[in-house]
Amino acid sequence: MPGPNGSWHNSSPNLDDANEEDMTGIFGWTLVVEVPKEAVDIFDQGFSPIAVATSSFETSDPSIWRMEAFSVDRPDEMAVVGAVALAAKIAGIPEPTVHTSALPDIDWVSENQKSFQPIIAGDFFVHPTHYDGVVPATATSLAIDAGPAFGTGSHGSTKGCLLALDWLSRCPPVGNILDLGCGSGILALAMARRWRRKVLAADIDPDSVATTRGNAVLNNASHLVRSVQSNGVKSGAVKRNGPYGLIVANVLARPIIDMAQDIKGALRPGGTLILAGFTENQENSVRAAYQRRDYHLARKEGSDGWTTFVLTRFGGKR
Ligand SMILES: C[S@@+](CC[C@H](N)C(=O)[O-])C[C@H]1O[C@@H](n2cnc3c(N)ncnc32)[C@H](O)[C@@H]1O
């Protein structure tokens, strides 16, 4: 067992080396592995007897995912080594190194909130509700707390969309507006508050739909933002509200490519489409899927390795 922070390799089990470090003040343990995307579910199952919770995230290389497992008790090294060896065998990959760290016993909720500082993207100013500092007088401010839905503004894909919306503010699009994959509702609120326009916010995830509704109330925009559950643009509510003059879709590369035809059907000719949720090395595939469908790339934003496209759909049929 390593000390409060360390790595485990199958080749060097050293349970007996467990030192007698003072473990008071330790809240729990995290185990981290990086594995190919296809192996994430297998490792998730492998860690389930050891961990009380797991989560996985795409890294800057979309084929490699980072898996984090949380354990309240100090995990048994042999159990971890065995679980990793078995998962690697099933997945047909070399055994990854397991990085462990002890989490100090602190108030994670308030620490997390403290670490969530205001975010500035163009003239958008996103802050947590407990923020009591100065808000720039000309800014469009949004109060968003970290929660179950994605979208505090700190992620490069969200920031890229906010910058794109800020740029678009010079000449806001006409027609109805759709925020597809609304998460916390941050982008729907940004548009509603900046332009005083109605926005339909849609997400496949019911928690995100509810969070958006709550954030709309918190930001005095419930008369402007309506949130609905929808897989892409397929729900009746999304269809009935179309066609759209502006669609913002910060989802992920694969669904964005898969939805290209449906999105084109929902956007009116001459309409504007903001796409995000893909990394620099996924840009070409996203661009190809949309340019093939008669879009012009009007602007590109980049933030922390994530790309945002502003596309204009050509008017009429070719
Ligand atoms: C990267 S988050 C973006 C959240 C927020 N719009 C932002 O910019 O921070 C992507 C969101 O898309 C949603 N999503 C994923 N697939 C979807 C689909 N097929 N239809 C609708 N929403 C989807 C997820 O549930 C998630 O809330």
Side-chain angles (χ1 to χ4, degrees), residues 149-155 157-159 161-162 179-188 202-206 208 229-233 248-252 255 259 276-277 306:
F150 188 106
T152 58
S154 59
H155 193 267
S157 64
T158 315
K159 237 187 255 174
C161 290
L162 289 172
D179 175 8
L180 181 57
C182 58
S184 66
I186 183 169
L187 302 178
D203 204 292
I204 197 167
D205 165 38
S208 296
Q229 191 174 1
S230 180
N231 180 2
V233 293
V248 184
N250 177 9
V251 190
L252 277 176
M259 290 191 279
W306 294 84

